[in-house]
Amino acid sequence: MAMQTEFLDLLRSPGTRERLTYKADVQQLVAPDGLVYRFINEVPVLLQEAADSGAGYRAHYETDAREFDYFADWDPVTQEENRRLHQQILHQIPADAGWILDVGCGGAWLAAELTPGGRKVISMDISTGNPVRALQEVPQATHYGLVADVYALPFEPGSMDCIVAAEIIEHVPDPASFLERLIDILKPGGTLIVTTPYDEQIRYSLCVHCNQRTPHNAHLHSFTEHKIKHLLPQRVAYATTKVCNSKVLVNLRLQQLFKILPFRAWDVMDKIALALVKKAHRLMLVAKK
């Protein structure tokens, strides 16, 4: 209960960032202006009812969470590539980071990795389904679910020690604003970790329903090292990028062959493959406030 209270004390009304009062008897968070925010199970839903950060953006990902099972097993090749990407991310999370925010939590892999060891992880998603399922699948005392929109974050500036946004920035309507808002809620010295497909050739199909060009996988943007760093606000103290997950190793299924290798050995092999042929699946940005 003390840990849950600590989590609720972090939360603010989206947009205004006013303190919220927790009404335990009715499971509500109430803002000073009278706005009431509900819970679904133990997950607070802190969304501005009238706001949408892009045409149909929220509705799209609410439907996406119903139609796509982020907790299901992937095919073996994708699953192994994801595992190595996750290791890259975990390697960048500071050992002393307190509150860790997982933006666009999907299948809650980050909480599954960290909370059994007592790390505090907030699994946040704009859909109502994913954070609720995340708590069901990873029922740890230091795991918290939250429904919120990055463009109206319900936190005070400087409240997070580390933020992970894995495979999210390519989906959002305004990547520069996305990064600005995440940097804003980082503590001084805090770490932001962003991953995205590297230099992706976005493919389009003509939608049979709306008769509009529609990007595959809902990817709106493609990034290189220069492009993603150029979007960062000036108050970032330090930023570095890294390409990883060699397409040569993935496409030839050599990742499957070398899956027994520990992360550091695999990382060296991945770097060698990328030095020979710079074709990478993923780009990682690490920024310090």
Side-chain angles (χ1 to χ4, degrees):
M1 180 59 71
M3 293 298 296
Q4 180 71 5
T5 300
E6 187 182 0
F7 165 59
L8 295 177
D9 285 346
L10 280 176
L11 302 178
R12 300 291 182 268
S13 181
T16 66
R17 288 178 168 171
E18 296 176 300
R19 284 190 171 275
L20 298 168
T21 301
Y22 177 49
K23 304 290 187 181
D25 55 335
V26 290
Q27 278 284 285
Q28 291 178 343
L29 289 166
V30 183
D33 59 6
L35 281 175
V36 175
Y37 299 97
R38 64 192 174 104
F39 284 70
I40 299 178
N41 295 344
E42 297 180 0
V43 177
V45 180
L46 295 179
L47 292 172
Q48 293 177 301
E49 292 302 324
D52 195 342
S53 45
Y57 172 80
R58 185 184 301 171
H60 172 89
Y61 285 104
E62 186 67 34
T63 304
D64 176 78
R66 291 196 301 268
E67 297 296 327
F68 185 81
D69 187 358
Y70 285 91
F71 297 84
D73 289 334
W74 300 80
D75 65 87
V77 174
T78 303
Q79 190 167 324
E80 181 60 17
E81 191 210 341
N82 284 339
R83 185 176 76 91
R84 292 303 191 182
L85 177 64
H86 296 167
Q87 289 176 338
Q88 295 275 3
I89 294 168
L90 292 167
H91 188 66
Q92 297 295 331
I93 297 175
D96 61 350
W99 288 104
I100 301 169
L101 178 65
D102 184 8
V103 175
C105 65
W109 70 268
L110 189 65
E113 288 282 352
L114 296 179
T115 57
R119 307 294 295 274
K120 295 183 289 189
V121 176
I122 302 170
S123 290
M124 184 187 113
D125 206 282
I126 197 170
S127 76
T128 55
N130 286 340
V132 172
R133 178 86 179 272
L135 288 192
Q136 294 170 350
E137 297 289 335
V138 189
Q140 299 288 339
T142 56
H143 184 202
Y144 311 93
L146 174 65
V147 179
D149 185 351
V150 166
Y151 294 100
L153 284 164
F155 300 105
E156 282 189 325
S159 53
M160 292 291 121
D161 297 282
C162 181
I163 301 172
V164 175
E167 310 303 293
I168 302 299
I169 193 171
E170 65 272 14
H171 295 273
V172 301
D174 186 345
S177 179
F178 174 83
L179 292 173
E180 170 70 39
R181 282 161 169 76
L182 294 180
I183 291 294
D184 181 55
I185 64 167
L186 269 183
K187 292 179 180 178
T191 302
L192 170 64
I193 305 164
V194 176
T195 69
T196 184
Y198 177 63
D199 200 16
E200 180 183 19
Q201 289 294 113
I202 298 176
R203 298 184 179 184
Y204 293 83
S205 296
L206 187 64
C207 177
V208 68
H209 301 290
C210 67
N211 204 35
Q212 300 294 317
R213 290 177 75 241
T214 304
H216 292 194
N217 304 313
H219 290 189
L220 305 177
H221 312 278
S222 175
F223 299 94
T224 60
E225 299 96 321
H226 173 75
K227 184 175 179 180
I228 199 167
K229 288 180 75 172
H230 183 71
L231 296 174
L232 286 168
Q234 290 186 349
R235 54 186 165 150
V236 168
Y238 165 84
T240 187
T241 56
K242 176 183 180 179
V243 294
C244 59
N245 286 31
S246 161
K247 286 187 176 182
V248 172
L249 296 184
V250 173
N251 295 344
L252 295 180
R253 300 192 173 218
L254 295 177
Q255 289 213 34
Q256 302 298 102
L257 181 63
F258 297 115
K259 65 189 302 181
I260 62 171
L261 289 178
F263 169 70
R264 290 188 183 278
W266 172 85
D267 190 41
V268 169
M269 185 175 65
D270 192 52
K271 288 175 180 175
I272 292 171
L274 288 167
L276 295 173
V277 182
K278 192 180 177 181
K279 289 187 177 295
H281 271 287
R282 306 296 166 190
L283 170 65
M284 180 166 63
L285 168 74
V286 180
K288 298 277 188 180
K289 186 174 179 181

